[in-house]
Amino acid sequence: MSAFSRFTPLIQSLPATVPFVGPEAIERQRGRKIAARIGANESGFGPADSVLLAIRETAGETWKYADPENYDLRQALAGHLGTSPANIAIGEGIDGLLGQIVRLVIEPGMPVVTSLGGYPTFNYHVAGHGGRLVTVPYVNDREDIEGLLAAVKRENAPLVYFANPDNPMGSWWPADRVLEFATALPETTLLILDEAYCETAPPKTLPSIESLIDRPNVIRTRTFSKAYGLAGSRVGYALTTPGTAQAFDKIRNHFGMNRIGIAAAMAALANQDYLKEVVLRISRSRDRISMIARENGFHPLPSATNFVAVDCGRDAAYGRAIVDGLMNDHGIFIRMPGVAPLNRCIRISTGPDAEMNLLEAALPEVLGKLAAAG
Amino acid sequence: MSAFSRFTPLIQSLPATVPFVGPEAIERQRGRKIAARIGANESGFGPADSVLLAIRETAGETWKYADPENYDLRQALAGHLGTSPANIAIGEGIDGLLGQIVRLVIEPGMPVVTSLGGYPTFNYHVAGHGGRLVTVPYVNDREDIEGLLAAVKRENAPLVYFANPDNPMGSWWPADRVLEFATALPETTLLILDEAYCETAPPKTLPSIESLIDRPNVIRTRTFSKAYGLAGSRVGYALTTPGTAQAFDKIRNHFGMNRIGIAAAMAALANQDYLKEVVLRISRSRDRISMIARENGFHPLPSATNFVAVDCGRDAAYGRAIVDGLMNDHGIFIRMPGVAPLNRCIRISTGPDAEMNLLEAALPEVLGKLAAAG
């Protein structure tokens, strides 16, 4: 295909890719509609009715650009978190913020530390800026804090990514260990503490806001995509010092936020009762997934997130066969980790009972078919 | 303020800024609500009712990420434009696409050609990637095609920006001159042909799609923000060869589009009757603005856009005083070009009669007050 001849050498070296194949693309590829969308860690429980109302009421305002300062949302978040609006940067989901953070710090060839099998979209952004990924294997299905710290020091890395709770394994570290990690890092290393799943974590998993908010080398990322049920609205935020937060203003797409999404996020934040209710439903759904896994001879891993990693006890080919069987024969969309040894697991997002019923019925059929085949 | 110490040298050299101060920020600064929002070239006519309906009906789907391939919208646009989906890249408004294009092409120090006083957000992205702006003055309030071409050749510039119709002046070149320009450029220069205002342009302003679609060094950018009335939905698109379009897939935020915005854009595209109607209303509003300008002794410039640049016949300080007087005393939000000699003008967006009535009543008062002050 004929492309412009003078893209930068870095761009020319990059593949055209997508960090995750979307469920719609899978539907098109397989020629089959998805019956249970429990693969992208979205929330099938959806947002609160008050959020849907806010969306419908804001529709008539969508001819206006959103406020490029995101003033109201930053005020609301600051009130909710007990911090200042100056500590908060808003972006098009955590994915968008991760791209910006990598751009702020990484020049071609610089080392970036993350876990082997950690969030692919972060790795995508690192590659996109020419960074050199330095990966540290998980230990016992958790990110290896000591290993990450050693890699940072060995490489003099300017950037390290750490998710707590973790995706794709659902594991977590207690707040005191996370705090130790953050404070042990050199001041010349920026920590991305990705807390996309913070709302579903057990008590004492999240360091307090104040414990890290004065550290210019720590950015915590959070989102309305998971427990708040607003993945399609694209609203995430970064928590850090005012000085570090201001760096986003140097490069972000100031008019990049959509006005309805901002209104939806504001309404979601205002309805903490619904959040509590949905976190309970997510917890029950995790239990249900775990039960289904055990009934099929699998080992569900403990989870602090809105999904469960299920150890199928064999190799990646087996996991892949289950993922494909569920989709191709039953329209059940799930995913799996991308690298060994994590990819002995499949990853199932929590969701309403209807989706869980489909999974419960389909999984034994898929496994039976696989056993018969081989 | 305390910021992370190891941002890249480029980032450290950049100011924290915003290309445009948003109307909401102006409201907060002045402590006055906007009564007529006719400054950001949004469409106060709003989107079609069918679009509002689509938004409300899609609200319940916003727990799902949007399709990262934007398949349906690309199909719909391809059908509308008579091209292939592979010719189309979708982004978070033209602003988002401009940032991506600059990143694809520009390394620090490289020359980028644009008009002096052209679109500030493009300049912002060029600065953000360390590019060196080479500016060519407008001639007779139009972008200077010959001058841009000469600058490209003199500098061996890899990137040139050209808007047709133009913002902030509302002027335009006929299609044949644009086509001459595009085909005269070296193949090693990427042309951004920004057609944000294409829907409101007179006949024979836009080169046909097929006339440029096979050129890997031409990207045309278009948006649902202007005539379609969806600025807050953040949906823009780029038209180019499949090879050049694919470059966006190397760096974009694949899950950056909001699901409701995509649905809104699809519905807007499907309602061409409404577009025709709104283009007529925009045209009438341009006439009304021109009449108001003349009644106050000013010279309205011809416009192919959804705004009118009004030559106030004096200097930038006078224009600024009018802009400030309209906002501070009457809550009428307009803008003005940023550099001489364009900033002898004020820039007024088209809008419904209610807004025009406010403008008509307020402008003589502001001018009278300025005359009295001396």
Side-chain angles (χ1 to χ4, degrees):
Chain A
M1 274 190 304
S2 181
F4 179 58
S5 58
R6 206 171 163 190
F7 290 133
T8 69
L10 172 59
I11 294 298
Q12 297 198 29
S13 76
L14 294 172
T17 184
V18 54
F20 291 100
V21 178
E24 289 82 3
I26 292 171
E27 286 182 326
R28 291 187 292 268
Q29 288 165 3
R30 314 283 171 97
R32 173 165 195 134
K33 282 282 163 198
I34 287 173
R37 185 163 161 138
I38 48 175
N41 301 344
E42 300 158 329
S43 178
F45 302 113
D49 286 343
S50 59
V51 172
L52 298 180
L53 186 65
I55 290 172
R56 293 181 181 122
E57 285 181 345
T58 311
E61 302 283 301
T62 198
W63 62 274
K64 302 176 187 173
Y65 290 107
D67 173 16
E69 299 181 3
N70 300 304
Y71 181 89
D72 292 339
L73 180 57
R74 286 163 65 228
Q75 286 282 338
L77 282 167
H80 179 69
L81 298 165
T83 181
S84 156
N87 292 113
I88 298 167
I90 308 289
E92 299 92 342
I94 290 178
D95 284 2
L97 292 163
L98 290 177
Q100 291 169 24
I101 295 168
V102 173
R103 180 173 158 197
L104 289 171
V105 176
I106 297 304
E107 294 182 312
M110 284 186 173
V112 178
V113 174
T114 187
S115 295
L116 180 62
Y119 191 47
T121 305
F122 177 70
N123 300 354
Y124 164 80
H125 287 307
V126 171
H129 289 279
R132 177 171 57 83
L133 275 181
V134 177
T135 56
V136 177
Y138 282 66
V139 173
N140 296 327
D141 297 321
R142 288 209 288 195
E143 294 202 62
D144 177 9
I145 285 183
E146 294 303 324
L148 291 167
L149 188 58
V152 162
K153 291 185 174 173
R154 186 180 69 242
E155 298 276 352
N156 182 24
L159 187 61
V160 57
Y161 174 89
F162 178 75
N164 192 55
D166 174 69
N167 177 20
M169 302 312 281
S171 57
W172 69 101
W173 284 100
D176 56 353
R177 293 286 288 120
V178 176
L179 205 52
E180 271 177 45
F181 176 49
T183 54
L185 287 168
E187 287 182 9
T188 50
T189 301
L190 184 70
L191 168 64
I192 301 174
L193 176 56
D194 187 347
E195 299 181 322
Y197 299 97
C198 61
E199 293 88 2
T200 50
K204 301 192 180 173
T205 303
L206 308 175
S208 70
I209 297 297
E210 55 269 28
S211 65
L212 290 171
I213 199 70
D214 293 327
R215 299 198 163 255
N217 68 326
V218 177
I219 299 179
R220 303 168 80 161
T221 52
R222 297 185 172 189
T223 183
F224 287 90
S225 297
K226 304 302 178 185
Y228 285 108
L230 289 173
S233 289
R234 306 287 61 217
V235 184
Y237 57 101
L239 283 169
T240 184
T241 61
T244 295
Q246 209 177 54
F248 291 90
D249 289 335
K250 300 180 172 193
I251 60 163
R252 69 188 175 92
N253 180 9
H254 291 261
F255 288 86
M257 300 300 296
N258 77 92
R259 195 169 185 103
I260 290 175
I262 294 284
M266 298 274 295
L269 192 68
N271 194 339
Q272 292 294 312
D273 287 344
Y274 180 78
L275 181 69
K276 278 190 200 113
E277 181 192 320
V278 102
V279 165
L280 193 64
R281 294 172 76 184
I282 288 170
S283 169
R284 286 189 191 130
S285 181
R286 284 194 306 236
D287 293 345
R288 177 96 190 267
I289 294 169
S290 299
M291 194 188 67
I292 295 168
R294 283 193 205 94
E295 284 171 355
N296 287 277
F298 292 160
H299 173 62
L301 272 56
S303 170
T305 64
N306 72 347
F307 61 86
V308 178
V310 172
D311 184 345
C312 301
R314 289 171 58 181
D315 61 2
Y318 187 59
R320 171 56 53 202
I322 297 170
V323 169
D324 285 345
L326 284 171
M327 179 61 209
N328 293 345
D329 294 348
H330 303 273
I332 297 176
F333 163 61
I334 68 168
R335 283 198 175 122
M336 62 183 293
V339 302
L342 314 183
N343 59 11
R344 71 189 193 284
C345 297
I346 56 177
R347 195 195 70 179
I348 304 167
S349 306
T350 54
D353 285 338
E355 278 80 350
M356 295 298 115
N357 295 344
L358 291 175
L359 175 70
E360 186 168 38
L363 187 56
E365 287 190 36
V366 168
L367 299 181
K369 199 168 159 187
L370 287 175
Chain B
M1 277 189 302
S2 182
F4 179 58
S5 58
R6 208 172 161 189
F7 290 131
T8 68
L10 171 61
I11 295 297
Q12 297 198 29
S13 76
L14 294 173
T17 185
V18 54
F20 292 100
V21 179
E24 290 82 2
I26 292 171
E27 286 182 326
R28 291 188 293 269
Q29 289 165 4
R30 313 283 171 96
R32 172 164 195 135
K33 282 283 163 198
I34 287 173
R37 185 164 161 138
I38 48 175
N41 302 345
E42 300 157 330
S43 178
F45 303 113
D49 287 344
S50 59
V51 172
L52 298 179
L53 186 66
I55 290 173
R56 292 180 180 122
E57 286 181 344
T58 312
E61 303 282 302
T62 196
W63 63 273
K64 302 175 187 174
Y65 291 106
D67 172 16
E69 299 180 4
N70 301 305
Y71 181 89
D72 292 339
L73 181 56
R74 286 163 65 228
Q75 285 282 337
L77 282 168
H80 179 69
L81 297 165
T83 180
S84 156
N87 292 113
I88 298 167
I90 307 289
E92 299 92 342
I94 290 178
D95 283 2
L97 292 164
L98 291 178
Q100 292 169 25
I101 296 168
V102 173
R103 182 174 158 197
L104 289 172
V105 176
I106 296 304
E107 294 183 312
M110 283 185 174
V112 178
V113 174
T114 186
S115 295
L116 180 63
Y119 192 45
T121 305
F122 176 70
N123 299 354
Y124 163 80
H125 287 307
V126 170
H129 289 279
R132 177 171 58 82
L133 274 180
V134 177
T135 56
V136 177
Y138 282 66
V139 173
N140 296 328
D141 297 321
R142 288 209 289 194
E143 294 201 62
D144 176 10
I145 285 183
E146 294 302 325
L148 290 168
L149 188 59
V152 161
K153 291 186 173 173
R154 186 179 70 243
E155 299 276 353
N156 183 22
L159 187 61
V160 57
Y161 174 89
F162 177 76
N164 192 56
D166 175 68
N167 176 19
M169 302 311 281
S171 56
W172 68 101
W173 285 99
D176 56 351
R177 292 288 288 121
V178 176
L179 204 53
E180 270 178 45
F181 176 48
T183 52
L185 286 168
E187 287 182 10
T188 50
T189 300
L190 183 70
L191 167 64
I192 301 174
L193 176 56
D194 187 347
E195 299 181 322
Y197 299 96
C198 60
E199 293 88 2
T200 49
K204 301 194 180 170
T205 303
L206 308 175
S208 69
I209 297 298
E210 54 270 27
S211 66
L212 290 171
I213 199 69
D214 293 327
R215 299 197 163 256
N217 68 326
V218 176
I219 299 179
R220 302 168 80 159
T221 53
R222 297 185 172 190
T223 183
F224 288 90
S225 296
K226 303 302 177 188
Y228 285 109
L230 289 172
S233 289
R234 305 287 63 216
V235 183
Y237 58 100
L239 282 169
T240 183
T241 61
T244 295
Q246 207 177 56
F248 291 90
D249 288 336
K250 300 181 171 193
I251 60 163
R252 69 190 175 93
N253 180 10
H254 291 262
F255 289 87
M257 299 301 295
N258 78 93
R259 196 170 185 102
I260 291 174
I262 294 285
M266 298 272 296
L269 192 67
N271 194 337
Q272 292 294 313
D273 285 344
Y274 180 78
L275 181 69
K276 276 189 203 116
E277 179 192 320
V278 104
V279 166
L280 193 64
R281 293 172 76 184
I282 288 169
S283 168
R284 286 189 191 132
S285 181
R286 282 193 309 236
D287 292 344
R288 178 95 190 267
I289 293 169
S290 298
M291 193 189 68
I292 294 168
R294 282 192 206 95
E295 283 169 356
N296 287 276
F298 292 160
H299 173 61
L301 272 56
S303 170
T305 66
N306 73 347
F307 61 85
V308 178
V310 173
D311 184 344
C312 301
R314 289 172 57 179
D315 61 3
Y318 188 60
R320 170 57 51 201
I322 297 170
V323 169
D324 286 345
L326 284 171
M327 178 62 208
N328 294 346
D329 294 348
H330 302 274
I332 296 175
F333 163 61
I334 68 167
R335 283 199 175 119
M336 64 185 290
V339 303
L342 314 184
N343 59 11
R344 72 188 193 284
C345 297
I346 56 176
R347 195 195 68 179
I348 304 167
S349 306
T350 54
D353 284 339
E355 279 79 350
M356 295 299 114
N357 294 344
L358 291 175
L359 176 70
E360 184 167 41
L363 188 56
E365 288 190 35
V366 168
L367 299 181
K369 201 168 155 185
L370 287 174

